[in-house]
Structure formats: C-alpha cells, structure tokens
Amino acid sequence: MDKKLERILPRVQKPARYVGGEYNAVVKDRARVDLRVAFCFPDTYEIGMSNLGMRILYGVMNQMEGVWCERVFAPWGDMEAEMRENHIPLYALESGDGVAGFDVVAFSLGYEMAYSNVLNMLDLAGLPLRSTDRPGLGPLVVAGGTCAYNPEPLAPFIDFFVLGEGEEVTPEYLQLYRRAKAEGWSKGRFLRAAAQIEGIYVPAFCAPIYKEDGTLAEMRAVEGSGAPETVRKRIVEDMDSAYFPVETIIPSTEIVHDRVMLELFRGCIRGCRFCQAGYVYRPVRNRSREQLADQGIRACQDSGYQEMTLSSLSTSDYPDLVGLCDDLEGYCVGHHVNLNLPSLRADNFSMALAQRLSRGRKAGLTFAPEAGTQRLRDAINKNLTEEDLLQSVRTAFSNGWSAVKLYFMLGLPTETDADVLGIADLARKVYFAWRECAANRARGVRITVSTSWFVPKPHTAFQWEAQITRAEYQRRVDLLRDAFQRDKSITYNWHDPETSYLEAVLARGDRRLADVLEAAWRRGARMDAWSEYFDFQRWVDALAECGVDGDFYAHRERSRYEVLPWCRIDTGVTPAFLRRERQRCYDSKTTPDCRTQCSGCGASRLLKGGVCNG
Amino acid sequence: MADYRLTFSKEGRAVWISHLDLLRTFQRAFIRAGLVVRHSQGFHPHPVMSFVLPLSVGQSSACELLDFSTEGALEEASLPQRLNDCLPEGIRALACAAPVKPVRELDGLLADVSLCYDSGVPAGAAEAIAATLLGESVIVAKRNKKKQLADTDIRPMIRAVTAEAGEDRLVLHAAVQAQNPGVNPGLLAAAVERHLPFLRPDAVQVRRRALLDRSGEPFR
Ligand code: SF4
C-alpha cells in the first residue's frame, strides 16, 4: 500500500472503505491486461457498493480477457482533505493506481445531486474537467445510468454517454477502444466510430442552438460527424442469458444494502405518469423462476449473507412471485436467511406474502399512495385504491404490525387543496384502521406521512410540466401540517425544498447548466446528496454568476412544440404516447397496465419480435 | 468456554477492518465454508463468536484469537484451509483447537511498536525512549470508563521494553499487561510524543506478536 495513504488512514473515518481487498474483489496482473477501466461511482463507498448495476458491469468487464475493471468512489470530506493535502490523486481500490492512468474512466449516474461529485472526482484524479481539454485518446471519460437520459448538463465534461443497459454495449465499446489504442487512433476518430454503436451518444456531435427567448431552436447534428439523428437506448432482451453477479464483492465494512440483491425483472408494467424509471426501463423483461431460485441460493452461499432482497421496480408484479418464494423459502428457513420484498403493492396478495415471509419480524411497512385522493391517483395513473390500502393495513395491524410509512408527493399536475387535505384524510383512515384491528393496542401505533416536492422528469408524461413554486409548495406543506395538528399518532415529515428545486433545474437542464455546475463545484459543491455538505447558497451564487435563471428550468411549463434538450435520446417510448398520457392525466383517466392491455407506448420496438410478453 | 479457538493473522489492507466488521466478516466466511456456528438462545439469537482480545484498527497481528462454537463437531486440522478460501485478503487462519484456558487467564501481550522517522532515527533516541518508558511514571491521555480522556499512568502495565534503532525506524519490543487493566501498545508511541516531544515520530506502526498466559507461555 502507498506509504502516504497508510499515514492518512488512521486519521479518517471508516478507513476500510478506502483500501479494497474485499472478498471477491478482482485483482489482475497489470502486465497481463491491455485495457484498464476505472469504474467510478460519484458517491460514497457505502452507497456505491449497494448499487446492483455497478456489480453487474464490474463482473461483465472483468470477465473480458485482458480487461481489468476496478472501483472508485468519492471520498468523504475528511479523506478528500487529506488526499489533497498529501497530494494523493484519486485511485482505484483494487490496484491503488491513480485514475488518470486508466484507459477508460466510467461514471454511473443515478441522481442529479451527484453531478458535483463527478467534477470533483475528475479533479481529484488530476484530469481536466472538460472533454476538449483532454485531447488524447485516453483516459476516455464516459457515463451511463438513469441520469444519462438527459445528458446535457454534463455534456461538456463527458466524452460519450451510454444509454440504457450496459451488459452488451460496454464490451462493444471496449473492443473498439482496444482497437483504437492498438492502431493509434485520434480521439476524434474513435468518437466518430463509437457514435455508430447503438446506444452511444457523443455530445460533441450534437450542438444546441438557442432562440432569443432562451428555449432551444434545435439540437443540431454536427456535420461530418456521421452521428445518427437519434440515439436509441440498449436493452438486454433475454434476461435469462444476461450476466448475474452470483459471485460478487462482499465488503468488509457495512454498506447501505448489505445483502443479496436478486433482480427479478427489469421494467415496470404500471405506467405511473410521474415515474421516470417506469418509462425509461420499458419494456418488462422477467428472469425465469428457476434461474432466480438457483442464483439466489448460490449468491447466499457464496456471500455468506443472511438477508436477501427480491428487488425490482414493483416486485409484486413478478408473474410467479409465490412460486419463487416457495423455491427460496426452504433454503432460507434452513439457513437463517431473511427474505425481503420491498416495493410491495398494497393488495391482499402482497400482504399475504409479506405476512408469510416476515416470520415474526414486524418491521415497519411502507406504502406509496403518492396522492391523497382517488381523483389525483387516477390522474397520475397510480393504480391504488383507498380500499386496497386500508384492507392492507388492516391485515397488517391485525397481524401485529404497528408502524406504517406513507409516501406522497405535493405539486403533482392538477393537484388542488382538496387533494392535499386528502392526504390527511387517508392517513387518518389508516389510523382508524389500526384502532379497529390492532392486535395489541397497548403497543401504540406509528404512522409516518412523508411528502416530497414533485420534480418533473425527462421522458415522462409530465416532462413538459412546471414544478410548482417554492412558495406554493410551502403553502401546501403548511396546509397539510395544520391539518395534522391534532393527530398525535401521525408524524408528518416533508422533504427539504432546496434539494428538490435543484433536482428540478438539473433534471431538465440543457448544456448551459454545465457552466453552473462547474461554478458551483468551484465554490465548493460536492456530496450534494448529503445534508452535511449541501449548501444551497453555492448553487444560487453559481446560477447568478453564470447568468442562468433556475426558475426557467424548474418552474416553466414547456409548450408541446418546444425542442427538449433530450430530444436526441430515444428510450423506445414515443413522445406521442407521452403526450397522450399527459392528456389522460388532465381527463383523470387511467391507462391499463401492460399485462391487461398494451397501450402502444412504442417500447415493444426494442424487442426483436416487436411484441411485449412480460 | 466456547468449543473452539481459531488463531489467525491480520495484515496488509485487512488491518483497516474494524472489530465489529471483522466479526461480521468471520460470520460470513463461516457460512461460505459451510460451517454452522451455534447461535445463542433468546429473542435475538446471535452467533456464539468472540475475539479474545480485540485489536485496534490499523494494527497488524500474527496472533489473533477467535472463540466460537459450532453445531456438531468439526475437523480442527482442516479448518484453517477451509476458512482461508473464504476470507478476504490479509486475514489468514493459522490453527484451530479447543481452548485450553479461559479468557480471564489471558495475562500479557507482546508487540512491536515501530516509530518511523523519515529523515533518520535521531541519535540517542533509542536510549532516551527506553529510559522514559521504564522510568518512574508514564503519563498518557487515555479514555476512562466514562469515555472521557484523562491522564493515566500506564507504567504499572509496562513489563519490558527494548528499543532497536534501524535506519529510518526505531522498533520498541514491548511486553505489556493485556487486561485488568490492559494497555494498548499504541499508547507507548503516545507516551513518547508526550514525554519526548522532540522525538515525535512521523508515523507509528503496531504489530501484535503474541498473547501470553500467566506463566509467560503463549495463551491457548
Ligand atoms: S409496447 Fe405496450 S406492453 Fe410494451 S411496454 Fe409499451 S405499453 Fe407496455
């Protein structure tokens, strides 16, 4: 280990997260690899190691002959200060080698508030922030993940973005890079070739042209680049042949999701109109029950974990969930493995399952009705009735549960004060359900209501909507808080508005926000997802410094004809479908889920047969 | 007493794994190796597994001891190899046997404390340090039972110290009392900084070499 590093570790919190060497970490011989990838997660080790996508791609890359993929995380503030003071550049955990010496530096972008960490990590690595200031072929800075669906705010910093699932496209671009390196290509030549790979968006080949009023006139393809008009995301069609990390790194220090994560399926059949994941991960593709059972058990054996989570966007929608639980239960009971099902729907079927798997552990239950009235739930296509919810909590309370968390959003399109107050009504009904059914009244009940400030996201039915203003959000929070005043058993929490505002600015931002990002970072922004570090004023100052109006991005409704910054990105779902869904919201009309009836969103075109069968 | 006592070493990157994390790491390694550790009875059953004398984060050791019990007997001789296939880098199982003595009979501990001087070991440092650590009293700030830092005399717990000067490091071979009360060998370096501030080292490395019973034999 590096001597300088060894000396600072005794002074930092949780040093184990900075040294690597975990069980199943992949260590290869430097002399026998010709392509080195620094896989960067722009948040702490504990968060990054909890990310299943990162584990999958780590495995996919390290399976490739001659490729060594290593992990890099953002250091916590104390570690960053020590690294800067002692001139230790950002390094990869497996080898300890500096990131600047790698061929490919790949970022995984999960949420907007991590953007400042991307810049900070590039800087800690000693790399110039902007693509144009890195003229050589390597290190090539690439990025993928959910935020890549609107790549524009990060466009000047990233050489290319990878859209969609990375299992197939990653080896494709690595092979191309290998060839480019061997044949001594220029960066420009490589990028022109990379742009021909489906799923790769090279921001340098697409130039935003603005109108007088600040909106986009067009996203113009740069002449001679040969880049396609639109870049379609990649998906893995057959989940059973897709790589699953049965043998994966087991951290020696505690992380957020310290357990086996079994991915049942990708996509979601539901079509909630606010939900970006629900649209961009379409269509649904299931893993088979037999394979999941086998992988789950082997993952427990190899990891030594005694907890397994069946994870997906809406786990209850897995076609044979009961069968899968049957297959896993025998092993789990015999080996003291707890089986968790998060993101369960509030219905009888799911509650019966939760009940069966809890085996006495009655931790809190969480439901996300998202809106307080049936009218608004219909408008956002959140397929959940009050009766379903109440029936579920009744079952839960009579079986001994005594804590329920309810999640809602404020500021959804068409929301009125009646909808806001509906949240209080619904929470009270949950309370009465407890009074009626509680197995043990003496234990009391904890009902927690949390509201967040709705952030419209790209590629959703609400991508044209304005986020309500902060004053209006605060008014609705106050309205609800007053409504709860006399309910002693209900705790009301609301989300910090500053983060949600910035999220709204960045989520639908264009390339002009890159300067703001850099200015905020220069003013000290990093770890913005952490309240310990987040400072809204830095961002306000950065916006002012760059002459950019944040409200233009957050609070402005876009006309249906406006050119959107992400218009070159094709998720498979057509804009026409999104417009239709938006109209149905205004009509308070629901849209059936994909299994009941296909609504023709366009995503089936991503499949070879052209028909969804999830 | 537990059924088995495992001897293992902890070095390299693994020295940064904390006590609690190391316990978890062993629990998982046992499961990987297909060994079923006995669980305590009661409302929150937990595996019967504990370290004889926990090691501070950052220190290495050639002689760690882990006590545990299993459901059913196991083959002691092959256990270290079985576990080593399941442990992270830097932790090596060395031997396994039934405990001979209860933990309360653990008495002493041998450790090497390396004081690193990047511009060379100052002349006369070895003599001065040995004299100080074996002097009348050795005061360091130490956490008391109320978790507050308080000046404590650790001299009564220091049994022997010899200092060996190399080129850029001075190694203290120390024998200290292990418990009731014990002293962390790292405090010897703290004492040097306190009593001989001009001999403050640039870095300190501690390596545990042996745990001893009352007769000075390796604790088993
Ligand atoms: S094409 Fe139809 S079934 Fe497939 S994802 Fe779209 S709406 Fe659902």
Side-chain angles (χ1 to χ4, degrees):
Chain A
M1 190 188 294
D2 179 72
K3 193 163 141 190
K4 282 192 282 187
L5 181 61
E6 205 160 69
R7 294 209 176 163
I8 63 174
L9 288 174
R11 297 198 290 266
V12 302
Q13 296 173 46
K14 304 190 194 159
R17 56 189 165 168
Y18 303 119
V19 297
E22 309 93 323
Y23 179 73
N24 278 340
V26 177
V27 175
K28 296 192 181 182
D29 178 355
R30 285 182 187 81
R32 306 187 67 154
V33 295
D34 63 346
L35 218 170
R36 295 187 61 183
V37 181
F39 199 176
C40 302
F41 195 91
D43 208 322
T44 61
Y45 178 91
E46 293 88 327
I47 303 280
M49 284 305 298
S50 302
N51 182 283
L52 181 60
M54 185 156 190
R55 290 173 178 274
I56 291 174
L57 290 182
Y58 181 83
V60 165
M61 287 191 251
N62 279 320
Q63 273 187 343
M64 291 175 73
E65 196 66 39
V67 174
W68 187 8
C69 170
E70 304 181 45
R71 296 158 299 148
V72 187
F73 301 95
W76 194 244
D78 57 347
M79 182 65 175
E80 181 188 340
E82 292 279 2
M83 286 169 71
R84 288 192 185 273
E85 198 183 312
N86 293 283
H87 308 287
I88 300 176
L90 190 69
Y91 59 91
L93 290 185
E94 280 76 358
S95 65
D97 293 342
V99 165
F102 280 64
D103 295 300
V104 175
V105 177
F107 282 93
S108 169
L109 308 170
Y111 33 89
E112 293 82 5
M113 301 311 283
Y115 286 176
S116 55
N117 279 353
V118 173
L119 303 200
N120 199 40
M121 287 171 80
L122 287 173
D123 183 66
L124 274 170
L127 290 169
L129 299 187
R130 301 215 173 216
S131 178
T132 45
D133 296 329
R134 299 185 303 259
L137 176 64
L140 202 65
V141 178
V142 312
T146 315
C147 284
Y149 287 109
N150 177 18
E152 289 304 297
L154 283 175
F157 311 112
I158 305 291
D159 297 322
F160 68 76
F161 291 88
V162 180
L163 298 166
E165 295 161 13
E167 284 99 329
E168 289 167 8
V169 64
T170 306
E172 289 170 24
Y173 79 69
L174 289 182
Q175 294 295 12
L176 182 70
Y177 183 91
R178 176 178 267 157
R179 178 168 164 217
K181 190 178 166 188
E183 296 177 6
W185 294 9
S186 69
K187 182 169 174 177
R189 181 171 173 200
F190 171 79
L191 289 177
R192 279 193 297 279
Q196 299 305 317
I197 298 177
E198 188 162 74
I200 288 187
Y201 174 73
V202 180
F205 295 160
C206 196
I209 315 281
Y210 301 98
K211 293 193 219 167
E212 288 267 306
D213 66 2
T215 60
L216 277 167
E218 63 175 307
M219 291 292 289
R220 185 180 292 168
V222 170
E223 242 177 275
S225 68
E229 285 285 302
T230 54
V231 178
R232 181 172 282 183
K233 79 164 187 223
R234 296 288 293 266
I235 59 163
V236 171
E237 184 154 353
D238 175 16
M239 289 300 289
D240 276 349
S241 60
Y243 173 83
F244 179 79
V246 168
E247 287 169 18
T248 187
I249 297 174
I250 308 304
S252 303
T253 181
E254 208 171 5
I255 59 170
V256 179
H257 296 303
D258 219 357
R259 58 189 79 117
V260 170
M261 287 178 279
L262 202 56
E263 185 190 33
L264 306 193
F265 58 92
R266 289 190 188 159
C268 179
I269 59 168
R270 295 286 160 182
C272 296
R273 293 182 178 129
F274 56 86
C275 179
Q276 189 183 37
Y279 287 117
V280 301
Y281 296 142
R282 287 179 181 218
V284 163
R285 288 143 294 141
N286 298 304
R287 279 199 156 94
S288 71
R289 165 182 162 184
E290 295 72 30
Q291 197 182 74
L292 284 168
D294 172 62
Q295 286 171 341
I297 290 168
R298 284 193 294 129
C300 284
Q301 287 167 337
D302 186 72
S303 64
Y305 277 138
Q306 290 183 295
E307 202 170 338
M308 176 166 22
T309 289
L310 305 186
S311 77
S312 282
L313 288 174
S314 172
T315 307
S316 314
D317 289 328
Y318 183 69
D320 195 1
L321 189 56
V322 173
L324 176 61
C325 291
D326 287 342
D327 294 350
L328 290 170
E329 214 182 4
Y331 178 85
C332 290
V333 171
H335 294 79
H336 305 283
V337 174
N338 291 322
L339 201 52
N340 295 322
L341 280 82
S343 66
L344 277 183
R345 290 175 57 74
D347 56 29
N348 288 335
F349 159 77
S350 305
M351 285 311 300
L353 204 56
Q355 170 67 13
R356 168 179 149 196
L357 297 177
S358 73
R359 296 208 310 269
R361 295 168 306 126
K362 301 274 153 82
L365 279 177
T366 301
F367 298 107
E370 311 291 5
T373 60
Q374 197 59 48
R375 187 210 58 84
L376 188 52
R377 282 195 297 274
D378 286 348
I380 61 173
N381 207 39
K382 179 82 196 184
N383 195 322
L384 169 81
T385 65
E386 182 173 305
E387 202 30 53
D388 276 343
L389 177 70
L390 294 180
Q391 190 52 48
S392 299
V393 295
R394 274 188 216 113
T395 313
F397 291 143
S398 53
N399 284 295
W401 267 281
S402 58
V404 173
K405 285 191 188 138
L406 301 170
Y407 286 102
F408 299 90
M409 283 188 267
L410 290 178
L412 285 162
T414 77
E415 184 179 67
T416 63
D417 285 1
D419 297 310
V420 176
L421 293 170
I423 294 173
D425 281 342
L426 193 59
R428 253 175 240 132
K429 284 177 185 160
V430 169
Y431 173 70
F432 289 125
W434 173 78
R435 294 248 308 231
E436 190 187 311
C437 305
N440 181 358
R441 290 265 288 266
R443 275 181 70 192
V445 65
R446 255 183 312 128
I447 297 168
T448 312
V449 171
S450 301
T451 60
S452 62
W453 182 8
F454 171 61
V455 175
K457 291 279 170 116
H459 303 286
T460 67
F462 296 154
Q463 63 177 354
W464 297 276
E465 296 288 337
Q467 183 188 42
I468 58 168
T469 63
R470 183 163 171 179
E472 179 55 22
Y473 170 67
Q474 197 56 53
R475 192 189 66 80
R476 295 185 198 183
V477 166
D478 292 343
L479 187 67
L480 191 52
R481 197 188 46 200
D482 290 346
F484 277 128
Q485 212 136 60
R486 285 186 298 140
D487 298 280
K488 292 218 170 49
S489 301
I490 302 175
T491 310
Y492 174 41
N493 303 318
W494 58 94
H495 203 267
D496 150 46
E498 291 172 340
T499 308
S500 306
Y501 173 75
L502 257 185
E503 233 180 271
V505 172
L506 292 170
R508 290 183 297 167
D510 54 39
R511 215 170 278 195
R512 290 172 294 194
L513 282 171
D515 292 344
V516 178
L517 252 170
E518 187 172 339
W521 169 74
R522 289 199 188 284
R523 287 167 185 276
R526 65 212 58 189
M527 292 284 179
D528 286 308
W530 299 82
S531 57
E532 293 94 319
Y533 289 101
F534 180 62
D535 176 1
F536 188 55
Q537 195 56 43
R538 281 186 196 126
W539 288 90
V540 172
D541 295 344
L543 283 161
E545 179 189 325
C546 301
V548 172
D549 175 15
D551 294 0
F552 175 84
Y553 298 98
H555 301 323
R556 184 176 60 89
E557 183 179 340
R558 279 76 164 161
S559 99
R560 56 171 288 187
Y561 304 106
E562 186 169 327
V563 175
L564 300 171
W566 51 93
C567 63
R568 296 286 177 201
I569 309 291
D570 175 10
T571 66
V573 175
T574 61
F577 174 75
L578 295 178
R579 274 197 294 272
R580 214 154 67 220
E581 282 296 291
R582 186 188 186 202
Q583 188 53 49
R584 289 175 79 88
C585 161
Y586 288 121
D587 300 341
S588 297
K589 271 201 202 131
T590 60
T591 296
D593 68 69
C594 293
R595 238 166 249 154
T596 306
Q597 191 199 329
C598 170
S599 309
C601 76
S604 58
R605 293 171 302 150
L606 300 169
L607 300 169
K608 284 191 197 80
V611 186
C612 294
N613 50 13
Chain B
M1 267 202 290
D3 298 343
Y4 300 102
R5 182 165 284 166
L6 179 80
T7 308
F8 66 96
S9 60
K10 190 184 185 211
E11 16 217 346
R13 316 200 215 198
V15 303
W16 303 105
I17 303 175
S18 72
H19 168 232
L20 217 68
D21 285 335
L22 189 62
L23 200 60
R24 257 192 293 267
T25 296
F26 267 106
Q27 284 167 14
R28 290 176 188 151
F30 272 78
I31 295 171
R32 282 171 208 143
L35 296 161
V36 183
V37 173
R38 193 186 306 150
H39 279 63
S40 65
Q41 305 292 311
F43 199 68
H44 291 292
H46 55 89
V48 179
M49 210 182 228
S50 63
F51 297 109
V52 167
L53 188 68
L55 186 70
S56 297
V57 174
Q59 301 188 353
S60 65
S61 173
C63 59
E64 289 310 282
L65 299 177
L66 175 75
D67 285 358
F68 65 95
S69 299
T70 51
E71 299 287 353
L74 58 80
E75 210 222 301
E76 293 166 5
S78 64
L79 183 86
Q81 189 47 50
R82 252 172 106 182
L83 272 179
N84 282 337
D85 294 336
C86 304
L87 282 163
E89 186 185 317
I91 298 175
R92 282 290 147 263
L94 305 170
C96 178
V100 178
K101 298 204 162 129
V103 174
R104 70 183 126 80
E105 289 183 30
L106 170 67
D107 184 59
L109 136 68
L110 301 182
D112 286 347
V113 181
S114 301
L115 310 178
C116 309
Y117 297 95
D118 292 345
S119 40
V121 176
E127 298 73 21
I129 289 173
T132 300
L133 294 177
L134 296 172
E136 190 89 333
S137 63
V138 178
I139 308 295
V140 293
K142 190 172 179 252
R143 290 206 187 276
N144 60 20
K145 289 205 175 107
K146 289 185 204 138
K147 301 257 176 209
Q148 286 157 335
L149 275 181
D151 276 355
T152 313
D153 184 5
I154 57 168
R155 180 61 188 88
M157 287 90 92
I158 302 176
R159 293 180 176 166
V161 179
T162 58
E164 183 192 336
E167 211 163 289
D168 60 353
R169 62 174 53 208
L170 187 151
V171 182
L172 303 174
H173 305 290
V176 298
Q177 192 164 303
Q179 56 180 357
N180 306 318
V183 64
N184 184 334
L187 287 174
L188 299 183
V192 171
E193 286 183 29
R194 169 99 171 231
H195 291 267
L196 306 164
F198 50 96
L199 289 179
R200 183 199 161 95
D202 295 303
V204 178
Q205 283 164 358
V206 179
R207 179 170 180 78
R208 204 181 256 186
R209 283 177 35 235
L211 298 178
L212 306 174
D213 63 19
R214 283 175 195 154
S215 57
E217 293 295 313
F219 180 79
R220 287 182 217 282

